[in-house]
Amino acid sequence: MNTKEIEIGLRYRVSGDLANGHYADGTPCIVHEDVVRVIKRVTDTHVICECGRRFIINDNLKIEKF
């Protein structure tokens, strides 16, 4: 499923990369997570869950309806 098919307010299983802070040199610390959450918003660069997680839209992002 791609990000254009997401219906805001529905629950999805989202697996992918998210930026979790920064290293001392300023580069982002990227972690991989797999969660089931309600999608609150989709931007050009991120899928944002109601819990606040901001998944980066890249090749590692996988979304499926739950």
Side-chain angles (χ1 to χ4, degrees):
M1 160 178 265
N2 68 38
T3 57
K4 293 180 177 150
E5 300 174 277
I6 293 174
E7 293 181 51
I8 303 303
L10 294 183
R11 189 174 301 273
Y12 291 90
R13 180 175 183 191
V14 185
S15 174
D17 299 331
L18 55 101
N20 188 13
H22 292 85
Y23 292 111
D25 66 359
T27 59
C29 176
I30 304 295
V31 296
H32 188 85
E33 288 202 19
D34 186 347
V35 297
V36 174
R37 295 287 188 274
V38 172
I39 301 298
K40 179 179 174 184
R41 202 169 126 203
V42 178
T43 68
D44 291 340
T45 57
H46 292 87
V47 173
I48 304 166
C49 302
E50 72 175 356
C51 64
R53 284 183 172 88
R54 297 171 50 97
F55 284 89
I56 300 167
I57 297 174
N58 62 16
D59 292 337
N60 295 332
L61 183 64
K62 308 249 184 304
I63 304 166
E64 51 187 65
K65 207 175 251 189
F66 187 76

